[in-house]
Amino acid sequence: ALESDAAQPIAIDSNTATYDEASKTSTYTGNVISVQGSIRVNSDKLVAYQKNGEIDKLVFTGNPAKFKQTPSAGGEDILGNAMIGEYYPKKNLLVLQNQAVVVNGNATYASNLIEYDIKSSLVKAGEKSSDTKRVHVILKPKPKDKPESDKPETETNPPPTDKP
Amino acid sequence: MNTLKEQSGYFYLVFAALASWLLANLIEVEDTGNRLSPPHSPNFFSSGYQKWTMSADGNPDNHLSAAHISHYSDDKTTHLQQPLLTFQQPDQPPWLIQAEAGLVSADGKEVILEGRATISREAYGNNKALKIITSNLKVKPDIHYAETADHAVLQSLPHTTSGTGMKLVFKQPIHIELLAHVQGKYETKP
């Protein structure tokens, strides 16, 4: 993630919201857009859990909920979606569950459980102990190099060796 | 000659009777014998007004103070200047609701605060202080409830959430609803 992301405030837009002090939760519903720096999540509903006056966890749900993040300035965006997502700002951790998909460059990961480290862009998919969270990875091959004949002259001749 | 005098006397008598009958009808006298005040004018007022309302178990429940009040006989409303409503809460700080002006409905069940209104409650335990800035707020003291159709900003610093239209229940469990165009902002510490 962009270095500055973690320090950015979390901004949430939605149609309606309720705040329940007993459970320290704020529930945002209806076309919910949450943004923190370069991280953006679109969902139908989002519940913000506070602990000691700070955001401890954000749980978003959608059909599916979508997230987008810019891993580095000018870098290609990482995209993902899932029916349920949990974001832990303090741990820089995003947990996608239920038809979760993450597209990182030419790699696509699909599973019922994907843990994505927002800071290092590390994807950890599936779960050893369970068969239900199998992982499906598609690594698109890099675009093929041009055939030899098309290459310009200099490239085919070996560099001249120094004559004694 | 006498008959002419007698006739004119009778005429004056009839005239006087007619005139007094007319005058009597003009001035309609109330049962209480007071003269009817012109429409929508106060029938009593008070400065430095204080009113306590106790709960069923005899504890103070809410308190209304105002710099000045005027009670209107025609619609039975009470108009308030700088009203401050204080709602006591068991085991938490009171909720304070204040505004520039307001009025108490005839049945006393609603206090309508006009213009800018603020609602506040101090921090306690692990609950942060809450402050709501809004306008044209309707308060129902008996059920510790308030609502507005206007923009409202909920501050639980450093976090703020705003929206258009708000419903607030300020007794346990405290519940706040923002009805449209909601924007929340949460500060984070990396």
Side-chain angles (χ1 to χ4, degrees), chain A residues 143-161:
Chain A
K144 268 214 171 113
D145 288 345
K146 286 183 193 138
E148 287 296 321
S149 55
D150 295 356
K151 276 193 180 152
E153 196 52 36
T154 52
E155 278 192 27
T156 51
N157 296 337
T161 54

Side-chain angles (χ1 to χ4, degrees), chain B residues 8 19 28 45-46 83 97 107 113 148 160 164 166-167 186:
Chain B
S8 61
E28 203 179 300
F45 68 87
S46 164
I97 303 179
D107 60 8
L113 299 175
T148 179
T160 59
T164 305
M166 178 198 71
K167 293 181 178 177
Y186 295 88

Side-chain angles (χ1 to χ4, degrees), chain B residues 45-188:
Chain B
F45 68 87
S46 164
S47 295
Y49 176 82
Q50 311 251 1
K51 179 184 101 169
W52 278 266
T53 304
M54 315 304 272
S55 58
D57 52 17
N59 290 312
D61 179 75
N62 65 75
H63 171 254
L64 167 64
S65 66
H68 185 85
I69 68 145
S70 311
H71 180 271
Y72 288 78
S73 53
D74 54 350
D75 61 4
K76 306 285 188 286
T77 58
T78 304
H79 288 238
L80 315 166
Q81 284 174 24
Q82 284 136 44
L84 167 62
L85 285 146
T86 306
F87 291 87
Q88 303 300 333
Q89 301 283 340
D91 58 56
Q92 67 169 278
W95 286 75
L96 306 177
I97 303 179
Q98 52 195 13
E100 275 308 307
L103 72 86
V104 183
S105 60
D107 60 8
K109 292 223 179 296
E110 287 179 356
V111 178
I112 291 132
L113 299 175
E114 295 145 6
R116 177 187 156 102
T118 58
I119 306 167
S120 56
R121 192 233 36 219
E122 284 169 23
Y124 77 101
N126 65 356
N127 297 298
K128 294 172 75 73
L130 280 178
K131 182 172 185 179
I132 300 170
I133 302 161
T134 184
S135 52
N136 300 323
L137 185 71
K138 178 192 287 185
V139 183
K140 298 186 177 180
D142 296 350
I143 53 174
H144 288 219
Y145 170 82
E147 67 180 26
T148 179
D150 287 13
H151 185 69
V153 179
L154 163 61
Q155 294 178 341
S156 175
L157 294 180
H159 314 315
T160 59
T161 304
S162 64
T164 305
M166 178 198 71
K167 293 181 178 177
L168 162 68
V169 174
F170 47 90
K171 67 181 175 190
Q172 293 296 357
I174 309 293
H175 188 81
I176 304 170
E177 204 175 331
L178 293 170
L179 307 181
H181 315 304
V182 174
Q183 293 191 317
K185 188 172 181 191
Y186 295 88
E187 297 300 332
T188 57

Side-chain angles (χ1 to χ4, degrees), chain B residues 27-30 32-44 71-76:
Chain B
I27 303 168
E28 203 179 300
V29 182
E30 261 186 56
T32 55
N34 290 339
R35 186 182 298 276
L36 186 69
S37 49
H40 204 58
S41 62
N43 56 342
F44 69 81
H71 180 271
Y72 288 78
S73 53
D74 54 350
D75 61 4
K76 306 285 188 286

